[in-house]
Amino acid sequence: MTGSPVLQALSPIERIGPDHRRVRVELGEHSYPIDIGSGVRHLLPEVVARIGARRAAIICARPLDAVPDPGVPALRLAARDGEADKTLLNVESLCSRFTDFGLTRSDVVISCGGGTTTDVAGLAAALYHRGVAVVHLPTSLLAQVDASVGGKTAVNLPAGKNLVGAYWQPRAVLCDTDYLATLPAAERVNGYGEIARAHFIGAPGLSGRPVAEQIAVSVALKAGVVARDERDSGLRHILNYGHTLGHALERVTNYAMRHGEGVAVGTVFAGRLAGALGRIAPDRVAEHLAVVRGYGLPWALPAGIDPHDLVAVMRLDKKSTNTGLTFVLDGPAGPELVPDVDEELVLATLTAMPHEQTA
Ligand code: GLY
């Protein structure tokens, strides 16, 4: 993949201090910085002053003091990370609280939590008064490397994940690595799912690097891709490497399988499917398993999963513009969206995947 158009998409990483890096998402008047490092949450009052907000609504899934004083009167709302709270009902209830507080469209919403919290707060901000500024303070590795960056906000429907949402770019993202210190081990491994998939879309070789560097490079990759395709009409699809199966695994396990874990298994599967289609050589297929295992991520299908159920869910994937099966797959020109993949081949590849009891 070296020299592929994807690699050239990485945005520059600016060194602000010994433990402070900055990446910009360049989107014209909607451009914004992503600060990464220990203590960067304390930039919040500066960010709020730059926005010019006079009030802030803080939606926080961590202890309420995890968010520094924003420097303006603030409403602090406790939230819970997790797919169960990613509902339109929750968005409506947040917006009602904003109204009661007197939040205007020149004020700011601040989210602090994992990707589900930044998603819900981002959607509430996108809809409230047809759009109010939002700043994200992601606290999980998964949210720092992916979910909080790029402006996708969404909630789930019973039929599937992230089926209702909006593009709403934050005004700043503060990825404070101090938040990661208290992350449960399983949640940290979960974040590596997105870093593992980044290996195949332009950010290889991050295993074993310091976490701040892993975050900065993953964010630089994402920023570069989003700057070229904000609305997911082409290049941005590559960010969903491993996600078609990943999302289906989350859904059929009723979200017992975490997002990054699903993406990890989905990445192994994407390699195998690309191999079955003759798009990549066996050593590249094997690299998928090696990278995923190297991060300590799951790489087998959970026990008791019926491949037919996975296929049924994958047909509803947002990347599909028809009823066929669509995947982001590696190939001679790098990763790209491949529509209408033969269902029998998908089923055969799923059936041949290692299953947990045989792993
Ligand atoms: N997580 C995929 C994207 O932001 O496009």
Side-chain angles (χ1 to χ4, degrees), residues 13-22 35-40 177 210-213 216:
I13 300 172
E14 198 183 340
R15 278 311 273 254
I16 307 294
D19 191 18
H20 183 179
R21 296 167 169 87
R22 181 171 292 156
D35 288 90
I36 302 138
S38 169
V40 298
T177 49
V211 72
E213 185 183 330

Side-chain angles (χ1 to χ4, degrees), residues 108-295:
V108 65
V109 170
I110 296 163
S111 79
C112 178
T116 50
T117 297
T118 60
D119 267 5
V120 173
L123 184 58
L127 297 176
Y128 186 71
H129 288 202
R130 299 195 180 88
V132 57
V134 65
V135 174
H136 296 308
L137 276 67
T139 58
S140 69
L141 184 57
L142 190 96
Q144 294 196 354
V145 298
D146 184 62
S148 64
V149 177
K152 279 190 182 174
T153 71
V155 292
N156 302 335
L157 291 181
K161 195 174 146 83
N162 295 341
L163 290 183
V164 177
Y167 290 94
W168 189 244
Q169 297 297 340
R171 299 288 286 273
V173 181
L174 303 176
C175 296
D176 195 320
T177 49
D178 293 351
Y179 288 134
L180 305 178
T182 52
L183 217 54
E187 192 46 54
R188 196 177 179 100
V189 170
N190 184 39
Y192 280 112
E194 297 286 8
I195 297 176
R197 75 85 168 85
H199 180 99
F200 299 97
I201 59 173
L206 291 176
S207 184
R209 307 301 305 161
V211 72
E213 185 183 330
Q214 292 174 327
I215 298 166
V217 175
S218 302
V219 163
L221 169 70
K222 183 154 188 180
V225 170
V226 169
R228 284 164 177 78
D229 177 23
E230 183 188 5
R231 298 286 168 128
D232 221 349
S233 57
L235 181 65
R236 188 165 179 166
H237 293 320
I238 67 163
L239 297 174
N240 278 322
Y241 200 81
H243 281 58
T244 311
L245 179 61
H247 282 157
L249 283 168
E250 285 181 83
R251 174 87 199 293
V252 302
T253 61
N254 205 16
Y255 301 104
M257 189 163 227
R258 294 160 192 253
H259 180 69
E261 295 170 340
V263 168
V265 179
T267 295
V268 174
F269 171 75
R272 287 175 166 235
L273 189 59
L277 286 165
R279 294 175 56 87
I280 56 173
D283 61 340
R284 183 69 167 167
V285 176
E287 192 177 333
H288 286 71
L289 181 58
V291 168
V292 166
R293 287 183 81 160
Y295 283 106

Side-chain angles (χ1 to χ4, degrees), residues 244 273 310-328 337-344 346:
T244 311
L273 189 59
L310 291 170
V311 167
V313 176
M314 289 195 288
R315 276 200 217 99
L316 296 173
D317 190 83
K318 294 188 301 308
K319 290 185 292 305
S320 295
T321 48
N322 54 25
T323 52
L325 291 168
T326 301
F327 296 88
V328 182
L337 200 64
V338 181
D340 295 321
V341 180
D342 177 56
E343 189 167 316
E344 289 307 315
V346 172

